[in-house]
């Protein structure tokens, strides 16, 4: 039993979807999983296990930001034997061509966080990337479902609000599609402990145009992303 999750051994499947929002975890479990059971409510961070197409799948909220997501990824892998983690999150679009509710698969995650710099004594800029097998499966799944999905690099930022929006423009010029707050840590921890990780995102805001979805929409209307993630997790 881990400190922050508190589930019993065997409660959590080897395949886990990780939304940041615990209420999105609840919505995913209640909407998509058969016989979903809640295994944790510690700190209000819901976790559920059920079945998708007959295969056991868990959904675990991770909270906002890399420090919080790191805790849950570490404990899921090391305390519960999780092998596959797929983040299902929201993001702010940086690329002009992206629209609200577009789906993105993050091939890699740049970051302004010092977590990996500290990990490598400031000597190496480690490049956190998605598991290729999961990424390939997600692309194939999206194609089979007829869901348009962009694949490319994102930014995992430490701060939600920034005083340097000009840096977002520079990142967009280098092909960075969107900004979120967790994936660099998720990819790093999965690599360290030999698990597979992938981030799928739905555009909830467009940074340049000021467009945005509501909090309820972010919690309950990102179904295309979730369907891709579930099919990818069990493939």
């Amino acid at each position: 039993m881990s400190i922050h999750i508190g589930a019993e051994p065997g409660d959590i499947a080897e395949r886990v979807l990780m939304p940041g929002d615990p209420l999105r975890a609840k919505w995913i479990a209640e909407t998509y999983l058969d016989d979903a059971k809640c295994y944790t409510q510690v700190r209000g961070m819901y976790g559920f296990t059920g079945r998708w197409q007959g295969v056991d799948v868990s959904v675990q909220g991770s909270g906002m930001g890399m420090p919080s997501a790191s805790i849950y990824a570490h404990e899921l892998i090391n305390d519960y034997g999780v092998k596959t983690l797929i983040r299902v999150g929201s993001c702010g679009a940086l690329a002009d061509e992206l629209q609200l509710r577009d789906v993105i698969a993050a091939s890699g995650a740049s970051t302004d966080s010092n977590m990996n710099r500290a990990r490598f004594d400031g000597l190496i800029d480690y490049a956190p990337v998605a598991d290729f097998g999961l990424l390939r499966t997600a692309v194939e799944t999206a194609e089979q479902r007829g869901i348009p999905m962009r694949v490319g690099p994102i930014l995992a930022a430490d701060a939600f609000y920034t005083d340097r929006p000009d840096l977002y423009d520079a990142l967009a010029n280098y092909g960075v599609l969107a900004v979120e707050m967790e994936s660099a840590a998720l990819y790093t921890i999965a690599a360290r402990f030999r698990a597979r990780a992938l981030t799928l995102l739905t555009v909830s805001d467009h940074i340049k145009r000021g467009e945005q979805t509501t909090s309820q929409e972010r919690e309950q209307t990102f179904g295309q992303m979730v369907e891709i993630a579930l099919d990818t997790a069990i493939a």
Side-chain angles (χ1 to χ4, degrees):
M1 180 181 295
S2 72
I3 296 172
H4 299 92
I5 298 175
E8 296 294 333
D11 283 351
I12 302 177
E14 289 188 359
R15 305 164 177 86
V16 178
L17 269 59
M18 292 182 66
D21 183 354
L23 292 179
R24 189 183 302 137
K26 185 173 185 290
W27 175 76
I28 291 170
E30 292 175 347
T31 303
Y32 291 97
L33 299 185
D34 295 326
D35 301 321
K37 295 180 174 60
C38 182
Y39 59 76
T40 186
Q41 299 182 53
V42 175
R43 297 172 180 253
M45 200 61 67
Y46 292 113
F48 297 84
T49 296
R51 290 190 303 279
W52 172 253
Q53 298 183 9
V55 180
D56 288 344
V57 176
S58 295
V59 187
Q60 174 64 58
S62 70
M64 296 177 67
M66 282 175 272
S68 182
S70 295
I71 290 170
Y72 289 94
H74 183 102
E75 292 184 7
L76 287 168
I77 296 168
N78 291 286
D79 294 326
Y80 297 101
V82 172
K83 305 298 184 184
T84 298
L85 302 100
I86 301 180
R87 166 162 156 69
V88 282
S90 59
C91 66
L94 302 180
D96 289 332
E97 64 272 18
L98 287 170
Q99 307 296 323
L100 293 183
R101 297 183 183 82
D102 280 354
V103 180
I104 295 170
S107 56
S110 300
T111 186
D112 58 8
S113 170
N114 280 318
M115 292 181 70
N116 280 348
R117 294 190 189 106
R119 192 183 300 269
F120 293 98
D121 295 329
L123 300 175
I124 295 173
D125 284 332
Y126 178 75
V129 296
D131 176 82
F132 178 73
L134 287 178
L135 181 60
R136 179 172 56 187
T137 300
V139 170
E140 293 170 352
T141 297
E143 289 176 349
Q144 291 165 5
R145 284 185 168 272
I147 300 172
M149 184 175 72
R150 287 290 304 274
V151 178
I154 62 166
L155 170 69
D158 261 347
F160 186 86
Y161 299 105
T162 180
D163 292 330
R164 293 292 307 276
D166 57 302
L167 294 179
Y168 288 165
D169 293 334
L171 286 164
N173 289 337
Y174 280 83
V176 174
L177 299 177
V179 57
E180 50 93 81
M181 300 182 70
E182 288 82 24
S183 294
L186 174 63
Y187 287 177
T188 298
I189 291 169
R192 171 65 179 83
F193 296 110
R194 302 299 187 268
R196 305 190 304 162
L198 174 66
T199 286
L200 299 177
L201 301 167
T202 299
V203 175
S204 59
D205 307 80
H206 200 290
I207 303 299
K208 293 184 179 181
R209 296 198 293 267
E211 301 167 351
Q212 60 184 4
T213 56
T214 68
S215 58
Q216 183 176 9
E217 288 172 327
R218 297 172 200 222
E219 178 188 321
Q220 298 182 359
T221 66
F222 292 171
Q224 289 186 326
M225 168 182 66
V226 173
E227 291 165 6
I228 295 169
L230 287 167
D231 284 351
T232 299
I234 69 170

